[in-house]
Amino acid sequence: MTKHICSCGRPISKPFNSTIYPKICPSCERIQKNKALLAQSFMSRQKAPKTGLRCVKKKTPRQRAMERADKWFSRYIRLKYSFEQNGELFCRCYTCGRVHGIKEITLGHWQRRGYKTTRFNGNNGRAQCIQCNYYHSGMPEIFEQNLVKEIGQDKVNELKSLAMEDGQDNELFYREQATRYRGLFKQLLEERGIKDPWK
């Protein structure tokens, strides 16, 4: 009886209820199937356009206006609470006290940014390090204690109740906030006689 041997050297057995021997052993058959699947997935990737960019949704005019308002409010607050040392501007983190360059520190909000009525309120924003602002969710308890010391319990209570009110969320509102804080930022630069640190 002739032995059926695969090209890899393994013996080929006849499947149950079949009179025909396969041409290759089960191991080689699996390898061939895997190669075919890999080739198929490679071809599908080749057909896809290679832009190197993820599909990013285009921002609405309201979103762009909100980003501009956030940018100018953030720059104004950081500049307002900055100090100069050896010709450089620095800010002290409102919650941990660590000192960072004005461009390396972030803007922290005591009442979350989602509350539109307090998002651009000068009493609600202070310079915060990335650690406190992002990794410790803004350290709200310490933030509140420091605000009470700085502006008083009455104004802190006002901020709390103001945050619960319905605020505006439209392009015009954000444009107005951007214009307002850009103007205040430039005015503060002139008053302090310093150059724009973002230029």
Side-chain angles (χ1 to χ4, degrees):
M1 184 179 163
T2 312
K3 259 192 171 182
H4 292 271
I5 306 289
C6 179
S7 58
C8 70
R10 294 187 187 97
I12 301 172
S13 54
K14 187 167 64 172
F16 181 70
N17 284 343
S18 176
T19 56
I20 302 167
Y21 280 91
K23 293 181 180 177
I24 55 174
C25 70
S27 295
C28 289
E29 189 177 1
R30 276 194 301 274
I31 290 166
Q32 275 191 359
K33 279 182 182 175
N34 286 341
K35 280 182 180 176
L37 286 170
L38 281 170
Q40 189 178 3
S41 69
F42 177 76
M43 288 307 292
S44 66
R45 283 199 306 271
Q46 293 296 99
K47 288 173 190 172
K50 286 187 164 183
T51 59
L53 300 172
R54 291 186 308 168
C55 181
V56 180
K57 286 183 181 177
K58 195 174 178 183
K59 289 178 182 167
T60 64
R62 184 193 68 84
Q63 288 171 322
R64 289 197 300 273
M66 183 169 65
E67 281 182 2
R68 280 194 299 274
D70 283 335
K71 178 181 93 170
W72 288 112
F73 180 64
S74 173
R75 288 185 180 185
Y76 169 71
I77 293 293
R78 285 183 281 168
L79 182 65
K80 183 179 178 180
Y81 294 99
S82 68
F83 60 92
E84 199 170 346
Q85 194 172 3
N86 299 326
E88 298 285 324
L89 289 174
F90 296 90
C91 291
R92 190 175 299 280
C93 176
Y94 197 62
T95 44
C96 74
R98 286 193 289 259
V99 174
H100 299 272
I102 194 169
K103 292 198 284 186
E104 283 73 50
I105 205 157
T106 63
L107 172 70
H109 291 77
W110 174 51
Q111 293 295 319
R112 293 191 311 267
R113 285 198 317 167
Y115 298 125
K116 305 301 182 203
T117 47
T118 51
R119 186 178 186 129
F120 303 105
N121 187 305
N123 283 334
N124 191 46
R126 293 292 182 274
Q128 266 192 316
C129 68
I130 291 171
Q131 193 75 22
C132 289
N133 197 8
Y134 297 143
Y135 299 114
H136 295 292
S137 304
M139 307 280 279
E141 295 84 11
I142 298 171
F143 205 125
E144 183 176 357
Q145 288 167 16
N146 292 341
L147 272 180
V148 169
K149 288 176 196 170
E150 184 189 346
I151 63 174
Q153 188 66 59
D154 289 343
K155 286 190 177 176
V156 167
N157 291 342
E158 278 176 29
L159 271 177
K160 278 183 186 176
S161 56
L162 188 62
M164 296 301 116
E165 293 177 13
D166 290 333
Q168 296 182 62
D169 186 23
N170 55 63
E171 184 186 352
L172 179 62
F173 169 70
Y174 294 123
R175 281 177 177 274
E176 286 170 354
Q177 297 305 313
T179 304
R180 177 186 172 205
Y181 282 104
R182 187 177 180 211
L184 288 170
F185 175 79
K186 289 186 172 181
Q187 185 183 325
L188 196 52
L189 286 175
E190 286 174 19
E191 285 172 7
R192 292 178 59 177
I194 53 178
K195 290 180 181 177
D196 184 344
W198 280 273
K199 283 189 177 176

